[in-house]
Amino acid sequence: MFETISYETRGKTAWITLNRPDKLNAFTSLMHKEMVSAIKEANKDSSVRAVVITGAGRAFCSGQDLTGSTDGTDYGEVLRKGYNPMVQALVTMEKPVIAAVNGVAAGAGMSLALACDFRIASEKASFIEAFIHVGLVPDSGNLYFLPRLIGHAKAMELAVLGEKITAQQAKEFGLVTKTVSEEEFMLEVETFAEKLSNMPTKAIGLIKRYLNKSWESNLNEVLKYEAQAQKIAGESADHQEGLHAFLEKRKPVFTGR
Ligand code: T3D
């Protein structure tokens, strides 16, 4: 179905794997299109309640493919037509998305990881704001997500100096949810995805929607959003299930409805 990525569902989780390992999974325009299709597919499939994005081979993603000809390319158009729709599809998907960072995440590959809701990093993973080394600026939401995740000063340091940071450093900076040994990495990702996929998906989607909006909102607006979100969550089957399970002293079985 896809040339540059693979897409499969296992249980309630959709797995999207960037699949150009000989180029460390560098992005091409076809990969942008396929990513958007895969994300939309995961979004519309109601049996999917968590999404994992990872890379084939030893890398997560090395950013834009630098081996294609760049003569006369309008990079603004590449962003508007390729990267931006991918980031917007990820952020507006009301399901949790995990970046399973198996190896290096460089340039727009790092941006992709930042745009996900959780990052689990293998001890072998690393992160590089590689843009500066080719005279470019961070893109694909990088300048939005990075300072929000680690603060302005650290974001400036990483973006301008472009130094590689290890998975352990990324954990210390608050960039990743957890780091895991190479041997335990896939099992940990599967376990985490399964945990998320058994949670109240509607409530997770609402948390994601309104946390994103909170950055551009004042307190009164956030109070209004919380009331809107709570009305929707309060009418969900999962809320009823949570209440009944509490009263019956048993574990809830959430269905995502
Ligand atoms: O449209 C636009 O261009 C605007 C948008 C820009 C967004 C961006 O992402 S700009 C930033 C682009 N990415 C980079 O600058 C990163 C380039 N790659 C690297 O710096 C290094 O490869 C890594 C630090 C990621 C990994 O280093 P290492 O030593 O582990 O691997 P390597 O030997 O450098 O790479 C292995 C192979 O992958 C190699 O090919 P070969 O020699 O075995 O045939 C290398 O050329 C290839 N590769 C790595 N990155 C890319 C790539 N091929 C194409 N594009 C890449 N980005």
Side-chain angles (χ1 to χ4, degrees), residues 20-27 32 58-59 61-68 70 73-76 78-79 83 104-109 111 126 128-134 136-140 164:
R20 302 184 70 227
D22 53 324
K23 302 275 185 191
L24 305 188
N25 303 317
F27 277 114
H32 296 138
R58 71 177 175 90
C61 175
S62 60
Q64 176 66 26
D65 190 322
L66 299 176
T67 57
T70 57
T73 305
D74 174 345
Y75 288 174
V78 175
L79 294 180
Y83 287 101
V104 65
S111 309
S126 56
I128 313 176
E129 290 277 273
F131 309 89
I132 196 71
H133 301 306
V134 287
L136 294 178
V137 296
D139 59 24
S140 314
K164 184 192 276 197

mmCIF file of all heavy atoms in Angstrom, residues 20-27 32 58-59 61-68 70 73-76 78-79 83 104-109 111 126 128-134 136-140 164, ligand 1:
data_model
loop_
_atom_site.group_PDB
_atom_site.id
_atom_site.type_symbol
_atom_site.label_atom_id
_atom_site.label_comp_id
_atom_site.label_asym_id
_atom_site.label_seq_id
_atom_site.Cartn_x
_atom_site.Cartn_y
_atom_site.Cartn_z
ATOM 1 N N ARG A 20 12.870 3.822 5.051
ATOM 2 C CA ARG A 20 13.946 4.042 4.071
ATOM 3 C C ARG A 20 15.282 3.891 4.836
ATOM 4 O O ARG A 20 16.050 4.853 4.978
ATOM 5 C CB ARG A 20 13.864 5.454 3.456
ATOM 6 C CG ARG A 20 12.527 5.754 2.769
ATOM 7 C CD ARG A 20 12.554 7.125 2.101
ATOM 8 N NE ARG A 20 13.413 7.161 0.957
ATOM 9 C CZ ARG A 20 14.319 8.120 0.717
ATOM 10 N NH1 ARG A 20 14.482 9.132 1.572
ATOM 11 N NH2 ARG A 20 15.084 8.075 -0.349
ATOM 12 N N PRO A 21 15.527 2.706 5.375
ATOM 13 C CA PRO A 21 16.646 2.547 6.313
ATOM 14 C C PRO A 21 18.017 2.911 5.730
ATOM 15 O O PRO A 21 18.887 3.389 6.468
ATOM 16 C CB PRO A 21 16.588 1.072 6.722
ATOM 17 C CG PRO A 21 15.679 0.410 5.751
ATOM 18 C CD PRO A 21 14.768 1.441 5.202
ATOM 19 N N ASP A 22 18.208 2.723 4.410
ATOM 20 C CA ASP A 22 19.520 3.051 3.817
ATOM 21 C C ASP A 22 19.793 4.553 3.841
ATOM 22 O O ASP A 22 20.947 4.995 3.753
ATOM 23 C CB ASP A 22 19.626 2.501 2.381
ATOM 24 C CG ASP A 22 18.457 2.946 1.518
ATOM 25 O OD1 ASP A 22 17.327 3.037 2.054
ATOM 26 O OD2 ASP A 22 18.669 3.238 0.327
ATOM 27 N N LYS A 23 18.748 5.373 3.981
ATOM 28 C CA LYS A 23 18.901 6.834 4.098
ATOM 29 C C LYS A 23 18.561 7.287 5.518
ATOM 30 O O LYS A 23 18.185 8.438 5.738
ATOM 31 C CB LYS A 23 17.952 7.552 3.120
ATOM 32 C CG LYS A 23 18.132 7.176 1.665
ATOM 33 C CD LYS A 23 19.224 7.985 1.024
ATOM 34 C CE LYS A 23 19.316 7.682 -0.469
ATOM 35 N NZ LYS A 23 20.520 8.257 -1.070
ATOM 36 N N LEU A 24 18.620 6.370 6.437
ATOM 37 C CA LEU A 24 18.235 6.645 7.835
ATOM 38 C C LEU A 24 16.828 7.253 7.892
ATOM 39 O O LEU A 24 16.554 8.161 8.665
ATOM 40 C CB LEU A 24 19.265 7.541 8.534
ATOM 41 C CG LEU A 24 20.729 7.047 8.529
ATOM 42 C CD1 LEU A 24 21.595 7.939 9.424
ATOM 43 C CD2 LEU A 24 20.860 5.601 8.958
ATOM 44 N N ASN A 25 15.962 6.739 6.994
ATOM 45 C CA ASN A 25 14.528 7.127 6.976
ATOM 46 C C ASN A 25 14.322 8.620 6.714
ATOM 47 O O ASN A 25 13.424 9.247 7.288
ATOM 48 C CB ASN A 25 13.839 6.701 8.274
ATOM 49 C CG ASN A 25 13.974 5.209 8.510
ATOM 50 O OD1 ASN A 25 13.812 4.426 7.590
ATOM 51 N ND2 ASN A 25 14.313 4.816 9.731
ATOM 52 N N ALA A 26 15.173 9.169 5.822
ATOM 53 C CA ALA A 26 15.030 10.591 5.456
ATOM 54 C C ALA A 26 13.700 10.817 4.730
ATOM 55 O O ALA A 26 13.208 9.955 4.011
ATOM 56 C CB ALA A 26 16.194 11.004 4.563
ATOM 57 N N PHE A 27 13.167 12.005 4.926
ATOM 58 C CA PHE A 27 11.885 12.375 4.324
ATOM 59 C C PHE A 27 12.020 12.709 2.845
ATOM 60 O O PHE A 27 12.944 13.421 2.430
ATOM 61 C CB PHE A 27 11.328 13.642 4.987
ATOM 62 C CG PHE A 27 10.586 13.389 6.268
ATOM 63 C CD1 PHE A 27 11.085 13.867 7.467
ATOM 64 C CD2 PHE A 27 9.384 12.694 6.271
ATOM 65 C CE1 PHE A 27 10.401 13.662 8.654
ATOM 66 C CE2 PHE A 27 8.696 12.481 7.452
ATOM 67 C CZ PHE A 27 9.202 12.963 8.649
ATOM 68 N N HIS A 32 6.058 12.317 2.887
ATOM 69 C CA HIS A 32 5.118 13.253 3.532
ATOM 70 C C HIS A 32 3.676 12.847 3.232
ATOM 71 O O HIS A 32 2.836 12.779 4.117
ATOM 72 C CB HIS A 32 5.308 14.686 3.003
ATOM 73 C CG HIS A 32 6.632 15.286 3.304
ATOM 74 N ND1 HIS A 32 7.334 16.021 2.383
ATOM 75 C CD2 HIS A 32 7.387 15.265 4.423
ATOM 76 C CE1 HIS A 32 8.465 16.424 2.928
ATOM 77 N NE2 HIS A 32 8.521 15.989 4.156
ATOM 78 N N ARG A 58 18.449 1.331 11.914
ATOM 79 C CA ARG A 58 19.130 1.871 13.095
ATOM 80 C C ARG A 58 18.743 3.310 13.441
ATOM 81 O O ARG A 58 19.204 3.851 14.446
ATOM 82 C CB ARG A 58 20.649 1.755 12.924
ATOM 83 C CG ARG A 58 21.270 2.691 11.899
ATOM 84 C CD ARG A 58 22.782 2.502 11.891
ATOM 85 N NE ARG A 58 23.452 3.270 10.859
ATOM 86 C CZ ARG A 58 23.910 4.503 11.013
ATOM 87 N NH1 ARG A 58 23.753 5.140 12.156
ATOM 88 N NH2 ARG A 58 24.528 5.114 10.014
ATOM 89 N N ALA A 59 17.943 3.953 12.588
ATOM 90 C CA ALA A 59 17.606 5.366 12.843
ATOM 91 C C ALA A 59 16.103 5.542 13.034
ATOM 92 O O ALA A 59 15.303 4.722 12.569
ATOM 93 C CB ALA A 59 18.056 6.232 11.672
ATOM 94 N N CYS A 61 14.721 8.921 12.222
ATOM 95 C CA CYS A 61 14.551 9.672 10.976
ATOM 96 C C CYS A 61 15.640 10.747 10.895
ATOM 97 O O CYS A 61 15.874 11.454 11.874
ATOM 98 C CB CYS A 61 13.173 10.322 10.940
ATOM 99 S SG CYS A 61 12.913 11.395 9.524
ATOM 100 N N SER A 62 16.273 10.863 9.727
ATOM 101 C CA SER A 62 17.380 11.826 9.574
ATOM 102 C C SER A 62 16.935 13.157 8.978
ATOM 103 O O SER A 62 17.767 13.953 8.525
ATOM 104 C CB SER A 62 18.489 11.206 8.710
ATOM 105 O OG SER A 62 17.973 10.890 7.436
ATOM 106 N N GLY A 63 15.610 13.412 8.958
ATOM 107 C CA GLY A 63 15.135 14.699 8.436
ATOM 108 C C GLY A 63 15.022 14.673 6.933
ATOM 109 O O GLY A 63 14.949 13.608 6.307
ATOM 110 N N GLN A 64 15.008 15.838 6.337
ATOM 111 C CA GLN A 64 14.844 15.952 4.882
ATOM 112 C C GLN A 64 15.938 15.179 4.152
ATOM 113 O O GLN A 64 17.116 15.257 4.529
ATOM 114 C CB GLN A 64 14.885 17.430 4.481
ATOM 115 C CG GLN A 64 14.826 17.702 3.000
ATOM 116 C CD GLN A 64 13.493 17.305 2.372
ATOM 117 O OE1 GLN A 64 12.461 17.266 3.038
ATOM 118 N NE2 GLN A 64 13.512 16.986 1.093
ATOM 119 N N ASP A 65 15.553 14.463 3.092
ATOM 120 C CA ASP A 65 16.543 13.771 2.262
ATOM 121 C C ASP A 65 17.397 14.821 1.567
ATOM 122 O O ASP A 65 16.896 15.616 0.766
ATOM 123 C CB ASP A 65 15.821 12.897 1.219
ATOM 124 C CG ASP A 65 16.800 11.977 0.492
ATOM 125 O OD1 ASP A 65 17.940 12.419 0.217
ATOM 126 O OD2 ASP A 65 16.422 10.832 0.208
ATOM 127 N N LEU A 66 18.674 14.814 1.882
ATOM 128 C CA LEU A 66 19.577 15.840 1.354
ATOM 129 C C LEU A 66 20.194 15.430 0.019
ATOM 130 O O LEU A 66 20.954 16.202 -0.564
ATOM 131 C CB LEU A 66 20.695 16.124 2.364
ATOM 132 C CG LEU A 66 20.250 16.666 3.732
ATOM 133 C CD1 LEU A 66 21.446 16.806 4.672
ATOM 134 C CD2 LEU A 66 19.539 18.008 3.586
ATOM 135 N N THR A 67 19.863 14.221 -0.458
ATOM 136 C CA THR A 67 20.511 13.772 -1.684
ATOM 137 C C THR A 67 19.727 14.133 -2.941
ATOM 138 O O THR A 67 20.244 13.999 -4.040
ATOM 139 C CB THR A 67 20.760 12.241 -1.665
ATOM 140 O OG1 THR A 67 19.508 11.581 -1.468
ATOM 141 C CG2 THR A 67 21.718 11.850 -0.555
ATOM 142 N N GLY A 68 18.456 14.570 -2.762
ATOM 143 C CA GLY A 68 17.689 15.009 -3.927
ATOM 144 C C GLY A 68 18.208 16.359 -4.402
ATOM 145 O O GLY A 68 18.843 17.095 -3.644
ATOM 146 N N THR A 70 18.304 20.159 -5.098
ATOM 147 C CA THR A 70 17.597 21.259 -4.434
ATOM 148 C C THR A 70 17.549 22.497 -5.339
ATOM 149 O O THR A 70 17.094 23.546 -4.921
ATOM 150 C CB THR A 70 18.304 21.639 -3.117
ATOM 151 O OG1 THR A 70 19.645 21.973 -3.411
ATOM 152 C CG2 THR A 70 18.226 20.523 -2.098
ATOM 153 N N THR A 73 14.482 24.780 -5.607
ATOM 154 C CA THR A 73 13.387 24.340 -4.731
ATOM 155 C C THR A 73 12.990 25.463 -3.783
ATOM 156 O O THR A 73 13.850 26.082 -3.159
ATOM 157 C CB THR A 73 13.831 23.115 -3.902
ATOM 158 O OG1 THR A 73 14.274 22.114 -4.789
ATOM 159 C CG2 THR A 73 12.688 22.577 -3.055
ATOM 160 N N ASP A 74 11.699 25.713 -3.692
ATOM 161 C CA ASP A 74 11.185 26.678 -2.718
ATOM 162 C C ASP A 74 10.898 25.900 -1.429
ATOM 163 O O ASP A 74 9.918 25.158 -1.348
ATOM 164 C CB ASP A 74 9.901 27.313 -3.283
ATOM 165 C CG ASP A 74 9.211 28.242 -2.272
ATOM 166 O OD1 ASP A 74 9.546 28.179 -1.070
ATOM 167 O OD2 ASP A 74 8.327 28.996 -2.696
ATOM 168 N N TYR A 75 11.785 26.024 -0.462
ATOM 169 C CA TYR A 75 11.637 25.243 0.778
ATOM 170 C C TYR A 75 10.361 25.613 1.530
ATOM 171 O O TYR A 75 9.806 24.791 2.246
ATOM 172 C CB TYR A 75 12.857 25.436 1.692
ATOM 173 C CG TYR A 75 14.132 24.768 1.210
ATOM 174 C CD1 TYR A 75 15.337 24.974 1.880
ATOM 175 C CD2 TYR A 75 14.139 23.928 0.101
ATOM 176 C CE1 TYR A 75 16.510 24.369 1.450
ATOM 177 C CE2 TYR A 75 15.302 23.311 -0.337
ATOM 178 C CZ TYR A 75 16.486 23.544 0.343
ATOM 179 O OH TYR A 75 17.636 22.949 -0.076
ATOM 180 N N GLY A 76 9.928 26.865 1.375
ATOM 181 C CA GLY A 76 8.669 27.278 2.007
ATOM 182 C C GLY A 76 7.524 26.405 1.497
ATOM 183 O O GLY A 76 6.671 25.958 2.260
ATOM 184 N N VAL A 78 7.883 23.371 0.240
ATOM 185 C CA VAL A 78 8.084 21.999 0.756
ATOM 186 C C VAL A 78 7.434 21.882 2.135
ATOM 187 O O VAL A 78 6.766 20.895 2.446
ATOM 188 C CB VAL A 78 9.597 21.657 0.836
ATOM 189 C CG1 VAL A 78 9.815 20.293 1.485
ATOM 190 C CG2 VAL A 78 10.244 21.705 -0.544
ATOM 191 N N LEU A 79 7.602 22.926 2.942
ATOM 192 C CA LEU A 79 7.000 22.905 4.284
ATOM 193 C C LEU A 79 5.486 22.992 4.200
ATOM 194 O O LEU A 79 4.774 22.192 4.820
ATOM 195 C CB LEU A 79 7.548 24.061 5.127
ATOM 196 C CG LEU A 79 9.040 23.982 5.469
ATOM 197 C CD1 LEU A 79 9.447 25.192 6.303
ATOM 198 C CD2 LEU A 79 9.371 22.719 6.235
ATOM 199 N N TYR A 83 5.580 19.006 5.010
ATOM 200 C CA TYR A 83 5.744 18.815 6.461
ATOM 201 C C TYR A 83 4.553 19.329 7.263
ATOM 202 O O TYR A 83 4.107 18.680 8.208
ATOM 203 C CB TYR A 83 7.018 19.514 6.956
ATOM 204 C CG TYR A 83 8.285 18.801 6.548
ATOM 205 C CD1 TYR A 83 9.048 19.251 5.474
ATOM 206 C CD2 TYR A 83 8.725 17.676 7.236
ATOM 207 C CE1 TYR A 83 10.206 18.590 5.092
ATOM 208 C CE2 TYR A 83 9.884 17.012 6.868
ATOM 209 C CZ TYR A 83 10.632 17.482 5.800
ATOM 210 O OH TYR A 83 11.768 16.822 5.439
ATOM 211 N N VAL A 104 18.823 7.642 15.853
ATOM 212 C CA VAL A 104 18.981 9.090 15.712
ATOM 213 C C VAL A 104 17.704 9.746 15.148
ATOM 214 O O VAL A 104 17.059 9.207 14.248
ATOM 215 C CB VAL A 104 20.223 9.411 14.846
ATOM 216 C CG1 VAL A 104 20.065 8.917 13.423
ATOM 217 C CG2 VAL A 104 20.529 10.899 14.858
ATOM 218 N N ALA A 105 17.356 10.895 15.728
ATOM 219 C CA ALA A 105 16.261 11.732 15.229
ATOM 220 C C ALA A 105 16.891 13.085 14.916
ATOM 221 O O ALA A 105 17.260 13.827 15.829
ATOM 222 C CB ALA A 105 15.166 11.875 16.276
ATOM 223 N N ALA A 106 17.047 13.384 13.629
ATOM 224 C CA ALA A 106 17.778 14.601 13.238
ATOM 225 C C ALA A 106 16.892 15.518 12.406
ATOM 226 O O ALA A 106 16.034 15.047 11.641
ATOM 227 C CB ALA A 106 19.026 14.223 12.428
ATOM 228 N N GLY A 107 17.103 16.825 12.522
ATOM 229 C CA GLY A 107 16.369 17.795 11.712
ATOM 230 C C GLY A 107 14.863 17.581 11.838
ATOM 231 O O GLY A 107 14.322 17.467 12.946
ATOM 232 N N ALA A 108 14.211 17.491 10.670
ATOM 233 C CA ALA A 108 12.748 17.307 10.698
ATOM 234 C C ALA A 108 12.362 15.962 11.306
ATOM 235 O O ALA A 108 11.201 15.769 11.670
ATOM 236 C CB ALA A 108 12.177 17.445 9.289
ATOM 237 N N GLY A 109 13.313 15.044 11.428
ATOM 238 C CA GLY A 109 13.046 13.783 12.129
ATOM 239 C C GLY A 109 12.861 14.057 13.616
ATOM 240 O O GLY A 109 12.017 13.449 14.281
ATOM 241 N N SER A 111 11.816 16.969 14.705
ATOM 242 C CA SER A 111 10.525 17.685 14.760
ATOM 243 C C SER A 111 9.362 16.706 14.809
ATOM 244 O O SER A 111 8.391 16.922 15.544
ATOM 245 C CB SER A 111 10.343 18.581 13.529
ATOM 246 O OG SER A 111 11.454 19.404 13.331
ATOM 247 N N SER A 126 19.396 9.262 19.735
ATOM 248 C CA SER A 126 19.978 10.594 19.967
ATOM 249 C C SER A 126 19.125 11.606 19.207
ATOM 250 O O SER A 126 18.324 11.232 18.342
ATOM 251 C CB SER A 126 21.438 10.641 19.495
ATOM 252 O OG SER A 126 21.524 10.260 18.144
ATOM 253 N N ILE A 128 19.254 15.502 17.262
ATOM 254 C CA ILE A 128 20.115 16.571 16.736
ATOM 255 C C ILE A 128 19.279 17.598 15.991
ATOM 256 O O ILE A 128 18.545 17.260 15.052
ATOM 257 C CB ILE A 128 21.161 16.052 15.715
ATOM 258 C CG1 ILE A 128 21.866 14.811 16.220
ATOM 259 C CG2 ILE A 128 22.183 17.140 15.382
ATOM 260 C CD1 ILE A 128 22.826 14.233 15.196
ATOM 261 N N GLU A 129 19.418 18.843 16.402
ATOM 262 C CA GLU A 129 18.811 19.948 15.661
ATOM 263 C C GLU A 129 19.744 20.230 14.476
ATOM 264 O O GLU A 129 20.467 21.235 14.448
ATOM 265 C CB GLU A 129 18.687 21.175 16.577
ATOM 266 C CG GLU A 129 17.645 21.000 17.675
ATOM 267 C CD GLU A 129 16.244 21.311 17.194
ATOM 268 O OE1 GLU A 129 15.856 22.484 17.241
ATOM 269 O OE2 GLU A 129 15.550 20.382 16.756
ATOM 270 N N ALA A 130 19.702 19.318 13.490
ATOM 271 C CA ALA A 130 20.722 19.316 12.420
ATOM 272 C C ALA A 130 20.579 20.485 11.444
ATOM 273 O O ALA A 130 21.500 20.747 10.660
ATOM 274 C CB ALA A 130 20.614 17.998 11.658
ATOM 275 N N PHE A 131 19.465 21.176 11.487
ATOM 276 C CA PHE A 131 19.176 22.225 10.496
ATOM 277 C C PHE A 131 20.338 23.205 10.341
ATOM 278 O O PHE A 131 20.739 23.564 9.248
ATOM 279 C CB PHE A 131 17.922 23.011 10.910
ATOM 280 C CG PHE A 131 16.730 22.168 11.245
ATOM 281 C CD1 PHE A 131 16.513 21.705 12.535
ATOM 282 C CD2 PHE A 131 15.803 21.826 10.263
ATOM 283 C CE1 PHE A 131 15.396 20.943 12.844
ATOM 284 C CE2 PHE A 131 14.684 21.055 10.561
ATOM 285 C CZ PHE A 131 14.490 20.617 11.864
ATOM 286 N N ILE A 132 20.864 23.641 11.480
ATOM 287 C CA ILE A 132 21.888 24.698 11.468
ATOM 288 C C ILE A 132 23.146 24.262 10.706
ATOM 289 O O ILE A 132 23.831 25.081 10.101
ATOM 290 C CB ILE A 132 22.234 25.123 12.934
ATOM 291 C CG1 ILE A 132 22.985 26.450 12.979
ATOM 292 C CG2 ILE A 132 23.001 24.045 13.684
ATOM 293 C CD1 ILE A 132 22.138 27.639 12.636
ATOM 294 N N HIS A 133 23.412 22.955 10.697
ATOM 295 C CA HIS A 133 24.627 22.466 10.023
ATOM 296 C C HIS A 133 24.517 22.570 8.502
ATOM 297 O O HIS A 133 25.516 22.443 7.796
ATOM 298 C CB HIS A 133 24.922 21.019 10.442
ATOM 299 C CG HIS A 133 25.127 20.884 11.922
ATOM 300 N ND1 HIS A 133 26.039 21.640 12.624
ATOM 301 C CD2 HIS A 133 24.506 20.107 12.845
ATOM 302 C CE1 HIS A 133 25.976 21.340 13.909
ATOM 303 N NE2 HIS A 133 25.051 20.409 14.069
ATOM 304 N N VAL A 134 23.275 22.737 8.010
ATOM 305 C CA VAL A 134 23.128 22.965 6.575
ATOM 306 C C VAL A 134 22.535 24.371 6.341
ATOM 307 O O VAL A 134 21.909 24.636 5.310
ATOM 308 C CB VAL A 134 22.269 21.863 5.893
ATOM 309 C CG1 VAL A 134 23.052 20.566 5.789
ATOM 310 C CG2 VAL A 134 20.941 21.627 6.628
ATOM 311 N N LEU A 136 20.109 26.009 7.783
ATOM 312 C CA LEU A 136 18.646 26.174 7.797
ATOM 313 C C LEU A 136 18.146 26.409 9.213
ATOM 314 O O LEU A 136 18.913 26.331 10.179
ATOM 315 C CB LEU A 136 17.971 24.928 7.196
ATOM 316 C CG LEU A 136 18.216 24.676 5.706
ATOM 317 C CD1 LEU A 136 17.528 23.381 5.256
ATOM 318 C CD2 LEU A 136 17.721 25.840 4.846
ATOM 319 N N VAL A 137 16.857 26.676 9.315
ATOM 320 C CA VAL A 137 16.252 26.910 10.636
ATOM 321 C C VAL A 137 15.345 25.738 10.976
ATOM 322 O O VAL A 137 14.797 25.086 10.084
ATOM 323 C CB VAL A 137 15.422 28.221 10.663
ATOM 324 C CG1 VAL A 137 16.297 29.425 10.428
ATOM 325 C CG2 VAL A 137 14.294 28.184 9.637
ATOM 326 N N PRO A 138 15.171 25.444 12.269
ATOM 327 C CA PRO A 138 14.265 24.366 12.661
ATOM 328 C C PRO A 138 12.861 24.606 12.089
ATOM 329 O O PRO A 138 12.376 25.740 12.079
ATOM 330 C CB PRO A 138 14.260 24.443 14.195
ATOM 331 C CG PRO A 138 15.580 25.061 14.532
ATOM 332 C CD PRO A 138 15.835 26.054 13.440
ATOM 333 N N ASP A 139 12.242 23.509 11.623
ATOM 334 C CA ASP A 139 10.919 23.650 11.005
ATOM 335 C C ASP A 139 10.011 22.508 11.438
ATOM 336 O O ASP A 139 10.335 21.757 12.360
ATOM 337 C CB ASP A 139 11.049 23.740 9.471
ATOM 338 C CG ASP A 139 11.717 22.518 8.856
ATOM 339 O OD1 ASP A 139 11.688 21.437 9.469
ATOM 340 O OD2 ASP A 139 12.265 22.640 7.744
ATOM 341 N N SER A 140 8.889 22.385 10.771
ATOM 342 C CA SER A 140 7.913 21.320 11.056
ATOM 343 C C SER A 140 7.454 21.358 12.512
ATOM 344 O O SER A 140 7.323 20.324 13.174
ATOM 345 C CB SER A 140 8.502 19.935 10.736
ATOM 346 O OG SER A 140 9.140 19.958 9.494
ATOM 347 N N LYS A 164 24.614 17.059 19.137
ATOM 348 C CA LYS A 164 23.849 15.828 19.361
ATOM 349 C C LYS A 164 23.621 15.625 20.864
ATOM 350 O O LYS A 164 24.552 15.783 21.653
ATOM 351 C CB LYS A 164 24.655 14.650 18.810
ATOM 352 C CG LYS A 164 23.918 13.320 18.887
ATOM 353 C CD LYS A 164 24.848 12.155 18.606
ATOM 354 C CE LYS A 164 25.004 11.919 17.120
ATOM 355 N NZ LYS A 164 25.566 10.561 16.826
HETATM 356 O O1 T3D B 1 13.044 21.060 1.815
HETATM 357 C C1 T3D B 1 13.948 21.253 2.620
HETATM 358 O O2 T3D B 1 15.053 20.753 2.490
HETATM 359 C C2 T3D B 1 13.663 22.064 3.842
HETATM 360 C C3 T3D B 1 13.414 21.210 5.025
HETATM 361 C C4 T3D B 1 14.425 20.796 5.822
HETATM 362 C C5 T3D B 1 14.191 19.923 6.998
HETATM 363 C C6 T3D B 1 15.420 19.220 7.510
HETATM 364 O O3 T3D B 1 15.258 18.155 8.055
HETATM 365 S S1 T3D B 1 16.950 19.930 7.313
HETATM 366 C C7 T3D B 1 18.026 18.759 8.102
HETATM 367 C C8 T3D B 1 18.303 17.568 7.225
HETATM 368 N N1 T3D B 1 19.006 16.516 7.927
HETATM 369 C C9 T3D B 1 20.297 16.577 8.234
HETATM 370 O O4 T3D B 1 20.971 17.545 7.998
HETATM 371 C C10 T3D B 1 20.914 15.331 8.856
HETATM 372 C C11 T3D B 1 21.922 14.716 7.912
HETATM 373 N N2 T3D B 1 22.460 13.491 8.452
HETATM 374 C C12 T3D B 1 23.356 13.473 9.442
HETATM 375 O O5 T3D B 1 23.773 14.496 9.973
HETATM 376 C C13 T3D B 1 23.869 12.127 9.851
HETATM 377 O O6 T3D B 1 23.632 11.199 8.831
HETATM 378 C C14 T3D B 1 23.185 11.617 11.156
HETATM 379 C C15 T3D B 1 23.687 12.432 12.332
HETATM 380 C C16 T3D B 1 21.671 11.682 11.058
HETATM 381 C C17 T3D B 1 23.617 10.132 11.389
HETATM 382 O O7 T3D B 1 25.014 10.027 11.329
HETATM 383 P P1 T3D B 1 25.675 8.587 11.197
HETATM 384 O O8 T3D B 1 27.158 8.788 11.273
HETATM 385 O O9 T3D B 1 25.063 7.692 12.180
HETATM 386 O O10 T3D B 1 25.251 8.038 9.750
HETATM 387 P P2 T3D B 1 25.819 8.495 8.330
HETATM 388 O O11 T3D B 1 26.966 7.645 7.958
HETATM 389 O O12 T3D B 1 25.987 9.968 8.300
HETATM 390 O O13 T3D B 1 24.570 8.144 7.376
HETATM 391 C C18 T3D B 1 24.303 6.809 6.943
HETATM 392 C C19 T3D B 1 23.736 6.889 5.554
HETATM 393 O O14 T3D B 1 22.505 7.621 5.570
HETATM 394 C C20 T3D B 1 24.675 7.635 4.619
HETATM 395 O O15 T3D B 1 24.559 7.072 3.309
HETATM 396 P P3 T3D B 1 25.722 6.113 2.735
HETATM 397 O O16 T3D B 1 26.991 6.883 2.791
HETATM 398 O O17 T3D B 1 25.726 4.924 3.663
HETATM 399 O O18 T3D B 1 25.258 5.793 1.342
HETATM 400 C C21 T3D B 1 24.072 9.025 4.604
HETATM 401 O O19 T3D B 1 24.375 9.761 3.456
HETATM 402 C C22 T3D B 1 22.596 8.698 4.656
HETATM 403 N N3 T3D B 1 21.829 9.833 5.207
HETATM 404 C C23 T3D B 1 21.845 10.289 6.485
HETATM 405 N N4 T3D B 1 21.084 11.356 6.594
HETATM 406 C C24 T3D B 1 20.549 11.587 5.385
HETATM 407 C C25 T3D B 1 21.029 10.619 4.486
HETATM 408 N N5 T3D B 1 20.700 10.604 3.198
HETATM 409 C C26 T3D B 1 19.846 11.559 2.774
HETATM 410 N N6 T3D B 1 19.368 12.530 3.561
HETATM 411 C C27 T3D B 1 19.652 12.573 4.867
HETATM 412 N N7 T3D B 1 19.132 13.518 5.655
#
